[in-house]
Amino acid sequence: MVLPTLDSPPYDPTGLDRRDFVKVCSMAAAAIGLPAEAAAAFVENIQAGRKPSVIWLHNQECTGCTESLLRTTHPTLDELILDLVSLDYHETLMVAAGHQAEEVRRSVMEENDGAYICVIEGAIPMKDDGVYCQIAGHTSRDLVREVAGRAGAVIAIGSCASWGGIPSAAPNPTGAIGAPELLEGLTVVSLPGCPSNPYNFLGVALQYATFGTLPELDALGRPSFAYGRYIHEHCPRRAHFDAGRFVKQFGDEGHRQGWCLYQMGCKGPVTKANCSTLNFGEVDDAWPIGIGAPCFGCTEEGVGFTLGKFETVEITEATPPATYPPIFSSREGPNPWATMALGGIIGGAIGGGIIAAKKVSQPSEDEIGLGEV
Amino acid sequence: MNNEHGVPTPVGGKIMTPVMKFCLALTGITAVLLIYRFLVGLGAVTNMTDGHPWGLWIAFDVVTGTALACGGYAIALLIYVFNKGKYHPLIRSAILTSALGYTLGAIGVIIDLGRPWWTWKLPVFFWTWNLDSVQLEVALCIMLYTAVLWIEMAPVFMERWEEQDEKPKLQEFSRKWTPILMKAMPWLIALGIVLPTMHQSSLGSMILLAGPKLHPLWLTPWLPFFFLVSCIAMGYGMVVLETMWSRTVYSRYRETSILQALAPAMVVVLLVWVGVRLFDVFASGKTGYLFNLDRFSMLFWAEILLFTVPAVILMMKPTRTDKYRYRLFVSAGMMVTGGMLHRFTAYWFAYNPGEHWNLYFPSMFEIFVTVGLIAAEVAAFMYIIKRFPILTGRPSAALPT
Amino acid sequence: MDISRRGALKVAAFGAATVAGARKAEAREKKTAPADATGMLYDATLCIGCKACVAACRDANDLELEAHSVLYDDPQDLTANTCNIIKFYDGEDQQSFVKQQCMHCIDPACAAACMMGSFQKRQNGIVTWKPERCIGCRYCQVACPFNIPKFEWDSAVPAMVKCQMCLAKAGTTEAGQLNEVGQPACTEVCPRQAVIYGPYQELKAEALRRIAEEPDRYEDHVYGLEEVGGTQVLYLTARGVSFQKLGLPELGTEPVPALPVGLQHTIYKGFVAPVAVYGIVAGLVWRARRQQDDAGEEVGA
């Protein structure tokens, strides 16, 4: 795959040959852990012209989640939006603006009623009737309700859309909430993170686009494949934690050695995400802990933007227990050879004693008793 | 009386008998092993661990070994405290056994110590003594008593040296020092009675510091009493065993009647021990442990049996006759075994640091070294009785090979 | 019967003396914590098992690493290289960590055992070991009810090793001051303040206060207040996790040295008894020798 440069010829959307195209689909499938057959299914679907429609809403957000999507390479964003899905409404990327854009949105909703993917980026303000975020006079609240209500799948990308994120940080002046709270009753796939890891989004979107299904979700609507474990449980620095090697100050010897950041306030033990294994920007260790900054729990409501950056957290699940010594170790038995030897000696002593007893009992001719002279 | 039993004389005869060669070989190997032990440390050669820091070497070589060497003490008690002069023919070999036994016990301690090079500091730095430590008294007493025993042996050596015209230096030494020694002897004998009373009982007190780790049947303030009385019993037992055996081997007058006369003393000691032992268990409400059918109750009853059965046998009239002298021998053996078992139990079997610690069993190395030390003692004993006047009784017609 | 009435009386007298000693074993005074005693309070409910204390202890005392598995330092128990350890209790309903180290008893059995004075309660009541008089007899190991002192079995010049609250660091013979921050390394690094250091009386009060304030959180007992006469290291545990589950033995309130030391002091008080007995025995020996000499029985060794 050649990335375009300034000297490259202009992009030809039809110019992707089949081989590259299959490669894109394979990589996309691999990136999200779907089996190889999924790649074939992607290819088939898309060639049959069945690209799912995506309506992407922006609310109180920084657009960071979109930006992070721009940094993928398998597939790249252009491959995604041109070949794999039909991104029909995206305020940052679309060419249309103003009333024209809103008109597009409405017609797409009509055409694909019940089938399109609604992606929500950003928190929704509820205070004062939601006036703090409006597009064309409509509040985000109403927009989200309307679009999500008629969608085939709803994905809340980023912490802001998942539970409120930064806008909801105390004192939460706008009454910002996340999409699942607003859309009670609907199944909303939450992909918290700040930003959300783009591959988690790609995985969900492509799975829905290909199979029409959503991945397994936990109680908060987060896909288990990405949010099933605490960072602490699959952190590359876990060995340092287990051996008690902690960074005490930024820049100290431990920090240079890459030791555990727990004592610097790392929220890994209470934060579920897969940053530790997926990383960002497709560069190894390009994630907070990897570059020596303690995790601040951006995915978790009540942790990110709530707890102090350097506040240490409790560890509620001590896993895995195998690395701690038990209270009592098991017991070993005695060496059989030594037992035999000692047994032999004791037996010999008893035997010898019996023989000796017999011997001393025999009188000698010299012996005379007391009283006899 | 002297005329009947004969004055003590050396047994004479060849020193390097096959038995002696065997014993010296074991001793030699043990010496080499000990060099290795001091080079590599205790962990490499013993099975002692932090859970069981004391093993065979303490339980047997030191605690039991010194008790087996209490013959001198037990006989001295009879001769000098109870004024029974007729036991004199027994005293020399008893003191010899004691001297050798305590020396080997001391060597056993040194082998077991992790840092023996500071041992000299104990008698010298008296201002650092920890008067709370029971072991302090045990260690000092044993050091002093071992010295006393060898000084008590000195007249025996000097008696021989006086006769040896071919060694004028030794002769002179003996002639000069014998009278001085004789004057001091009563004080030494008294010391030789008080010191073992002190430390043999304190060996019992010592293990009481294991506290909750010691089984309740042995965790009793009476333990020093049990250790003291049983050491006297073991002393008599060893005197009987060793007297009967060595005189049989070297065809000397058996002194059976004197040994038989010990029977009442033995009976008293044994029955006192058993009586107080049972009384203590009942009075302190520990009877529950007696019938558990676990190994501790078995050990307890074994101790009781090993002390009661000989008492019964010794009380029976036939035992006091020559025909049944093997009963005397067997009873003595049981008493000695009973005392040994009591000590082994207190220092090893009944010591439980906790259920999860590995059980202790001595390693081959530990067993071999113990056997080697015994061999050394036997070798020394054989040499000394052959060259120095220890055994009484006329030699028999046929000398041993 | 050869034993005369007099002889029997002598036996009885001796027995009586020992009996008296046995009965008066409780005569030993109960020791209390010194006025400047410091200690540690470990709250198992706060501990997260990070093992920073284990690493810090290694560091502060120059102890070697112990690798038992893929981790390069995972001690399984207190050893001659590990003075402080975190263990994990994996119960069916509850889990807990426990920190194990020397309990710094108020009446330490190890100090009562050590005849050479190597183990002693020194500054702030902290129990420390000095190498210059230790002969490695390991009586201290026999004595300690918690099995704390460890012996360097694999060394030709073995030392006794245990937590000394960073008072006397490895390799030095002087009882130095506590490290630069004025407290042991483990309490200094603990990120959750699960183990804290301070004056013993304050820690005692704090432990009782915590139980009083949150009775549902803790077992209603501070371990170490009374056990074996009191220890300067105190433990709190979560309700439902008994101290025995954490490996802390169930012990009585009597200090371990009470029985043997009490016995010993009663019998040997002021060394009167041995001297008196010696005098009596010497007199008996004189008499016996003279009488036996007169009777023509062999006298001498």
Side-chain angles (χ1 to χ4, degrees):
Chain A
M1 189 89 32
V2 176
L3 292 177
T5 65
L6 281 175
D7 298 327
S8 309
Y11 185 78
D12 178 0
T14 60
L16 200 63
D17 67 9
R18 187 184 161 74
R19 221 168 103 140
D20 286 334
F21 181 68
V22 171
K23 251 201 240 172
V24 166
C25 294
S26 310
M27 282 200 273
I32 58 164
L34 286 176
E37 299 80 66
F42 285 176
V43 172
E44 209 187 291
N45 257 359
I46 285 151
Q47 289 201 311
R50 288 197 288 272
K51 290 197 295 188
S53 177
V54 176
I55 297 181
W56 191 298
L57 300 176
H58 289 67
N59 307 304
Q60 289 174 310
E61 40 76 52
C62 69
T63 319
C65 294
T66 296
E67 289 286 341
S68 103
L69 209 52
L70 291 173
R71 273 92 182 145
T72 55
T73 56
H74 31 273
T76 60
L77 185 67
D78 44 340
E79 274 147 17
L80 172 71
I81 64 178
L82 297 172
D83 303 318
L84 298 173
V85 301
S86 181
L87 187 62
D88 293 323
Y89 179 90
H90 190 299
E91 289 159 22
T92 315
L93 299 174
M94 64 198 273
V95 175
H99 291 290
Q100 203 181 14
E102 295 305 300
E103 192 46 50
V104 168
R105 180 174 61 73
R106 271 192 281 275
S107 63
V108 166
M109 281 168 71
E110 284 301 322
E111 277 165 37
N112 299 284
D113 194 28
Y116 62 86
I117 303 174
C118 169
V119 182
I120 304 165
E121 184 177 355
I124 302 113
M126 300 296 281
K127 194 147 174 250
D128 295 333
D129 241 3
V131 300
Y132 297 106
C133 185
Q134 295 182 66
I135 296 164
H138 299 284
T139 63
S140 282
R141 183 195 62 189
D142 295 336
L143 277 170
V144 169
R145 277 200 183 125
E146 188 197 338
V147 177
R150 292 164 65 185
V154 183
I155 301 176
I157 187 170
S159 290
C160 299
S162 300
W163 49 268
I166 286 187
S168 70
N172 198 352
T174 62
I177 60 170
E181 194 183 332
L182 178 70
L183 302 168
E184 243 186 84
L186 281 183
T187 302
V188 178
V189 178
S190 289
L191 300 169
C194 187
S196 176
N197 195 309
Y199 286 104
N200 293 336
F201 170 78
L202 285 173
V204 176
L206 286 172
Q207 181 173 341
Y208 184 76
T210 314
F211 301 109
T213 59
L214 293 173
E216 185 192 304
L217 304 175
D218 69 9
L220 295 173
R222 306 176 297 191
S224 301
F225 76 78
Y227 299 91
R229 285 187 175 175
Y230 291 109
I231 295 286
H232 186 60
E233 289 177 82
H234 55 174
C235 176
R237 298 197 180 190
R238 179 59 186 272
H240 293 297
F241 172 91
D242 284 340
R245 287 189 293 279
F246 296 97
V247 174
K248 301 218 178 70
Q249 249 191 8
F250 288 120
D252 71 4
E253 186 57 31
H255 200 210
R256 289 170 205 280
Q257 302 273 6
W259 289 2
C260 173
L261 294 158
Y262 176 78
Q263 292 200 17
M264 301 310 292
C266 178
K267 304 296 184 293
V270 293
T271 302
K272 287 195 163 165
N274 60 350
C275 321
S276 49
T277 49
L278 204 42
N279 300 166
F280 286 89
E282 289 147 44
V283 174
D284 274 339
D285 284 338
W287 66 296
I289 290 172
I291 60 166
C295 164
F296 77 93
C298 68
T299 62
E300 292 283 348
E301 182 174 4
V303 180
F305 313 114
T306 313
L307 295 182
K309 260 317 251 307
F310 304 112
E311 187 182 323
T312 55
V313 288
E314 275 198 43
I315 296 183
T316 48
E317 289 167 35
T319 56
T323 61
Y324 291 95
I327 301 290
F328 299 123
S329 328
S330 55
R331 169 176 256 184
E332 282 170 22
N335 173 13
W337 293 106
T339 321
M340 262 172 43
L342 201 58
I345 291 173
I346 293 171
I350 295 174
I354 296 171
I355 297 172
K358 292 230 175 79
K359 259 204 134 177
V360 303
S361 309
Q362 287 145 22
S364 79
E365 62 261 16
D366 286 321
E367 198 160 34
I368 49 177
L370 202 65
E372 294 178 75
V373 181
Chain B
M1 285 229 198
N2 287 352
N3 302 323
E4 281 167 15
H5 305 273
V7 294
T9 54
V11 169
K14 198 165 78 165
I15 295 288
M16 292 307 267
T17 60
V19 176
M20 176 62 110
K21 285 184 191 162
F22 179 67
C23 288
L24 285 177
L26 284 181
T27 310
I29 299 172
T30 304
V32 172
L33 289 180
L34 288 175
I35 295 173
Y36 179 65
R37 166 257 173 282
F38 280 104
L39 285 175
V40 299
L42 285 166
V45 294
T46 70
N47 277 349
M48 293 187 280
T49 60
D50 292 318
H52 287 270
W54 283 352
L56 181 69
W57 287 348
I58 295 289
F60 182 78
D61 298 6
V62 182
V63 176
T64 307
T66 54
L68 291 172
C70 268
Y73 167 56
I75 296 296
L77 270 179
L78 281 179
I79 295 177
Y80 296 108
V81 174
F82 293 100
N83 202 359
K84 303 276 170 247
K86 72 173 179 229
Y87 295 109
H88 264 292
L90 301 177
I91 195 71
R92 282 193 175 189
S93 56
I95 294 286
L96 176 62
T97 314
S98 294
L100 287 172
Y102 267 83
T103 307
L104 269 304
I107 294 178
V109 171
I110 301 292
I111 294 171
D112 188 78
L113 288 179
R115 301 161 59 96
W117 45 86
W118 288 150
T119 317
W120 63 268
K121 287 191 177 181
L122 176 63
V124 173
F125 288 7
F126 59 88
W127 56 92
T128 66
W129 285 350
N130 172 19
L131 295 176
D132 271 353
S133 172
V134 182
Q135 198 182 58
L136 174 77
E137 184 243 305
V138 171
L140 291 172
C141 270
I142 288 185
M143 281 182 186
L144 188 55
Y145 185 56
T146 311
V148 166
L149 281 166
W150 284 110
I151 299 176
E152 283 186 359
M153 281 301 298
V156 173
F157 299 129
M158 298 204 287
E159 206 176 283
R160 175 88 181 104
W161 292 334
E162 264 184 25
E163 299 166 5
Q164 288 182 298
D165 296 318
E166 68 272 21
K167 294 183 186 161
K169 281 244 171 71
L170 282 176
Q171 219 178 25
E172 215 182 283
F173 175 83
S174 310
R175 290 209 176 121
K176 182 180 164 202
W177 284 97
T178 303
I180 299 171
L181 205 52
M182 282 303 137
K183 271 224 171 85
M185 199 45 76
W187 303 105
L188 288 168
I189 295 173
L191 210 53
I193 289 172
V194 172
L195 287 175
T197 311
M198 285 167 69
H199 70 253
Q200 283 295 335
S201 57
S202 294
L203 275 171
S205 310
M206 214 168 95
I207 196 60
L208 290 178
L209 196 56
K213 295 190 277 189
L214 198 58
H215 190 276
L217 282 175
W218 286 266
L219 182 68
T220 158
W222 286 96
L223 202 68
F225 179 79
F226 298 144
F227 266 56
L228 180 62
V229 175
S230 60
C231 103
I232 297 175
M234 286 167 82
Y236 291 138
M238 279 305 285
V239 165
V240 167
L241 292 175
E242 176 262 306
T243 304
M244 289 180 94
W245 181 245
S246 60
R247 286 150 191 266
T248 304
V249 166
Y250 297 111
S251 298
R252 284 297 180 98
Y253 184 63
R254 302 282 173 82
E255 307 289 2
T256 314
S257 37
I258 300 180
L259 296 177
Q260 284 161 353
L262 279 176
M266 291 198 225
V267 169
V268 167
V269 164
L270 290 168
L271 290 181
V272 162
W273 193 93
V274 172
V276 180
R277 188 89 171 99
L278 289 170
F279 169 76
D280 173 44
V281 169
F282 278 89
S284 53
K286 291 179 184 166
T287 43
Y289 296 106
L290 292 184
F291 305 104
N292 273 351
L293 291 182
D294 63 359
R295 61 183 190 277
F296 300 111
S297 62
M298 311 266 211
L299 285 165
F300 179 88
W301 288 115
E303 283 175 16
I304 297 289
L305 272 175
L306 284 168
F307 276 18
T308 315
V309 170
V312 167
I313 295 177
L314 289 167
M315 284 196 286
M316 287 162 30
K317 262 226 152 84
T319 312
R320 317 253 196 100
T321 65
D322 290 350
K323 186 169 168 220
Y324 291 98
R325 93 187 88 193
Y326 75 89
R327 286 196 191 176
L328 187 61
F329 191 84
V330 165
S331 302
M334 290 176 85
M335 286 158 67
V336 167
T337 309
M340 266 177 61
L341 184 65
H342 184 59
R343 281 160 172 73
F344 264 70
T345 308
Y347 274 79
W348 174 5
F349 307 138
Y351 176 81
N352 179 16
E355 289 312 312
H356 60 287
W357 290 94
N358 285 344
L359 289 171
Y360 164 77
F361 198 84
S363 63
M364 294 290 299
F365 188 96
E366 286 172 86
I367 296 171
F368 196 95
V369 166
T370 299
V371 169
L373 290 181
I374 296 170
E377 183 178 346
V378 168
F381 185 87
M382 289 198 296
Y383 176 77
I384 294 177
I385 63 166
K386 285 182 179 174
R387 287 290 171 266
F388 293 95
I390 305 279
L391 294 185
T392 57
R394 299 184 323 249
S396 85
L399 278 172
T401 47
Chain C
M1 258 306 243
D2 269 315
I3 300 295
S4 65
R5 191 178 306 163
R6 182 185 279 172
L9 279 174
K10 283 178 194 160
V11 170
F14 180 78
T18 326
V19 171
R23 288 244 195 84
K24 281 209 213 132
E26 305 87 44
R28 188 162 181 270
E29 254 176 54
K30 184 173 163 73
K31 296 197 176 173
T32 54
D36 64 344
T38 56
M40 298 199 281
L41 172 60
Y42 174 75
D43 189 332
T45 65
L46 293 177
C47 178
I48 51 157
C50 72
K51 298 192 244 167
C53 55
V54 179
C57 172
R58 279 237 192 286
D59 214 19
N61 294 291
D62 292 324
L63 296 168
E64 277 177 25
L65 300 169
E66 274 192 48
H68 290 266
S69 66
V70 293
L71 295 180
Y72 84 78
D73 184 27
D74 59 344
Q76 297 296 300
D77 201 355
L78 293 173
T79 65
N81 281 318
T82 303
C83 293
N84 172 54
I85 193 171
I86 294 291
K87 289 183 174 173
F88 177 59
Y89 163 67
D90 195 6
E92 284 232 353
D93 303 319
Q94 282 179 288
Q95 290 84 40
S96 176
F97 294 102
V98 62
K99 179 179 186 288
Q100 283 185 357
Q101 75 294 300
C102 174
M103 300 292 282
H104 296 282
C105 303
I106 290 172
D107 191 354
C110 59
C114 187
M115 60 182 183
M116 307 291 286
S118 289
F119 265 117
Q120 272 183 32
K121 253 176 119 59
R122 296 188 168 93
Q123 191 176 325
N124 300 114
I126 295 168
V127 182
T128 60
W129 176 81
K130 281 190 175 182
E132 53 267 22
R133 286 201 285 275
C134 175
I135 54 170
C137 73
R138 310 184 300 286
Y139 191 28
C140 50
Q141 293 193 300
V142 172
C144 178
F146 303 101
N147 297 307
I148 293 299
K150 301 295 174 199
F151 183 70
E152 286 181 339
W153 295 98
D154 296 323
S155 170
V157 186
M160 299 303 302
V161 179
K162 74 165 187 73
C163 159
Q164 301 183 79
M165 292 228 223
C166 295
L167 184 59
K169 297 200 184 169
T172 66
T173 55
E174 296 305 313
Q177 298 301 310
L178 284 170
N179 66 29
E180 309 81 63
V181 299
Q183 52 175 312
C186 57
T187 58
E188 189 217 339
V189 295
C190 182
R192 311 286 304 150
Q193 302 285 293
V195 63
I196 53 176
Y197 174 81
Y200 171 72
Q201 298 298 338
E202 279 179 30
L203 293 176
K204 190 168 140 183
E206 170 66 15
L208 293 167
R209 183 194 67 80
R210 287 188 194 181
I211 294 181
E213 233 168 70
E214 289 180 273
D216 293 328
R217 183 189 173 113
Y218 297 103
E219 281 284 320
D220 188 14
H221 181 62
V222 178
Y223 189 91
L225 266 191
E226 317 250 310
E227 278 78 0
V228 291
T231 63
Q232 285 173 222
V233 175
L234 303 170
Y235 281 78
L236 289 170
T237 183
R239 185 162 274 274
V241 181
S242 71
F243 290 105
Q244 279 67 62
K245 285 183 181 152
L246 296 181
L248 294 165
E250 194 169 346
L251 295 167
T253 57
E254 180 99 317
V256 173
L259 176 59
V261 179
L263 255 184
Q264 193 78 346
H265 284 326
T266 310
I267 297 174
Y268 292 100
K269 211 186 201 112
F271 216 62
V272 169
V275 171
V277 171
Y278 181 72
I280 295 169
V281 169
L284 288 171
V285 171
W286 262 120
R287 192 193 58 158
R289 279 168 70 87
R290 211 189 25 222
Q291 285 184 4
Q292 288 159 22
D293 210 1
D294 295 341
E297 288 167 343
E298 187 180 316
V299 164

